[in-house]
Structures are given as C-alpha cells and as structure tokens.
Amino acid sequence: MQVLNQNDVKIYSLSQGKTLPEFISDKKRRALLKSDGELRRRIQLIQDFDMPTATQILKFSPDKKFILTAGTYKPRIRCYDTKSLSMKWERFQDTDVNDLEILSNDWQKLAVLQNDRVIQFHSADGRYHEIKIPRFGRKLLLDRSTCELYIPSDQNLVYRFSLDAGRFLEPLESKLSSDIECIIQNRESGLVITGSKNGIVECWDPRIRKSVAVHQSQSDVIAEFGDDILDDHKNSMQSQNQEIEDVVSVTALATSPDSALDLAVGFSTGHVFLYDIRSSKPKLGKDLRYGLPVKSIKYVNGGAENER
C-alpha cells in the first residue's frame, strides 16, 4: 500500500506501491528492505481481517504479537498473527461472545464469556473446559496478581473464579450498584473499579474484598449536561416516563498507565468525564455529541482517546 502526503493530508492507495515477492529468501528480503527506502516505509495490511457480519470484540495479546477478535454471524473467534499479517486460526462458538480474556502472554490460553452464562476455557488445541455462572455475565477481568477471574453480573454481584484453585470464591457484593456494566483494574494501585447501569462508580480493594469508595457519577453529568441529555434521549427511550437518572449509566472505564490517580468514565449518553480519584468532582467533562454510548476509552500519550 502506498502513502502520499499532500498538503498535510495522507492519502492511502491500496493498489499501488512496491511489494516484496513471496518466493524470495529471508536473506534477499532483508537486503531489499535495507537498500530500498520505499519498501521500508510501506504499510502492509492483515489478510482476511474482517467478519462476515460484525466484529464485537478486538483485543491484543500481552506480547502484542497477536490480535483476537470475536464476531457474528455465525459466532466465531479469530486469531491474527501480526508478524505474518494473516489469520492464524478460527474457532466457531455455540452462542455469541460477550467478552474474552487472554490468560497467557500469547493466544494459547483464553477465557470466553458467552451470552448463555457459560465461560469456556481454551488452550492451543481448542476448548477444554467450561463452567456456568449463576447470572448473566457482562465482562471478564483477570487479576494476574491473584490469578482470579472477575465476572460482573446483571445484578449487584461480581463473581470471582480462582484459576489456581479451580472454584468460585465469595463474590463482591455492592449495596448501591445494580446491573454492573463494566470493570477494570488499576495496575498501579491494584484497585478494581466497576461501573453500573444506575450510574455508580465503585472501587474495590482485592486484598480485603470490600468496597472502599462509591461515587454517584451520573449526578455530575446531570448537573452539567442535564437539559441536553433529556432532549437527546427522549426520543430514543422506550418509556417517556423514565427518570433521567435511569438514562445515565456507566458504560466504559479506563485508568491512565502513567498515573494511579487518573480515571476516565464514559456514559451511555455519549459523555466522558476525567476524575482524580482523590476528588469527587471531575477535572474535565466532554460531550461527544453523537448521542451514542461510549464503548471504550484508551489513554494515548498521556491523553484520553475515545473509541466507539
């Protein structure tokens, strides 16, 4: 693929540009890359990097050498090798995949959460074990320090499954949150943070397995964007009598890799707030003006990048 830069605007041409022959040896390939600057600057695309209908999940392996995706229809999981730029394998599932967690440094150990309350464990040879949780799960989170798998449910419980002992542990039970939608872990402090449908952000300490902080984050959104939320979502809500607090739910969370104090919260109304966890007031609030839920948030070079 060839890249042209005209007036600070990049133009990508998929049908032009130099390519390396597949039949040459690695020694000749390295020699060509060393001598030809245009070949070194070329952009290569991963082959078959798509799904027949839609892709629901996309994750990089911890070693950044593989990409795992889950999509529909039919429900399937695909693994792509970023070195060879091709699909490594494909596995079909019984039902749609809600989330997947990579347990190893590469692709060989996976935990797959299905929408029928089943968690499948996969090895390099395929699926080898499955368990069923009491309630429908939303997300998966692996605590690598304790080797525990966290599964937030459609109630006020976060189930804990010990991969070391192979059994369920006492779940985390919230007194205020209901229908927990998302969960993350701060790698610096070890705190587990959850966001619920009723707009509550809650922090948990895995060492004592108790809630250490609760914040009614939907009140911040209502205070700053209340009228806009009501106008934008009145037509999309099934019931016109639903309270505005029921509309503002937490749909995405992220912590900064450079700081243990920064927290980004995304809402179903298309708003993003940045917090210092030591304060109950947000540092910054942003309306994305799409009126769609924020699906995920990523910190990039010290800033927050929102992904839909």
Side-chain angles (χ1 to χ4, degrees), residues 151-160 170-183 192-204 209-216:
I151 311 108
S153 68
D154 58 353
Q155 287 188 332
N156 63 335
L157 297 176
V158 178
Y159 297 107
R160 298 165 54 229
E170 182 182 359
L172 305 178
E173 183 175 1
S174 174
K175 296 181 179 180
L176 297 176
S177 301
S178 63
D179 199 349
I180 301 174
E181 295 282 343
C182 50
I183 184 171
V192 175
I193 308 171
T194 59
S196 64
K197 192 173 182 180
N198 57 350
I200 294 178
V201 176
E202 195 162 3
C203 296
W204 307 81
R209 299 179 296 279
K210 291 183 179 180
S211 174
V212 294
V214 180
H215 180 57
Q216 299 273 357

Side-chain angles (χ1 to χ4, degrees), residues 214-254:
V214 180
H215 180 57
Q216 299 273 357
S217 60
Q218 83 276 18
S219 60
D220 300 329
V221 182
I222 295 172
E224 188 163 351
F225 304 104
D227 294 336
D228 295 337
I229 294 175
L230 190 59
D231 294 338
D232 294 341
H233 290 270
K234 187 178 292 184
N235 297 329
S236 62
M237 299 304 294
Q238 298 260 341
S239 174
Q240 298 294 333
N241 298 324
Q242 187 168 4
E243 297 293 335
I244 190 171
E245 287 82 2
D246 297 331
V247 181
V248 187
S249 60
V250 179
T251 56
L253 296 167

Side-chain angles (χ1 to χ4, degrees), residues 7 10 21 82 95 126 130 144 158 162-163 167 176-178 191 229 235 241 274 276 290 293 297 303 306:
N7 299 325
K10 289 186 177 181
T82 57
T95 61
E130 64 181 34
R144 297 185 181 274
V158 178
S162 174
L163 298 176
R167 61 183 179 89
L176 297 176
S177 301
S178 63
L191 288 176
I229 294 175
N235 297 329
N241 298 324
L274 298 180
D276 187 316
Y290 288 104
I297 305 173
N306 300 282

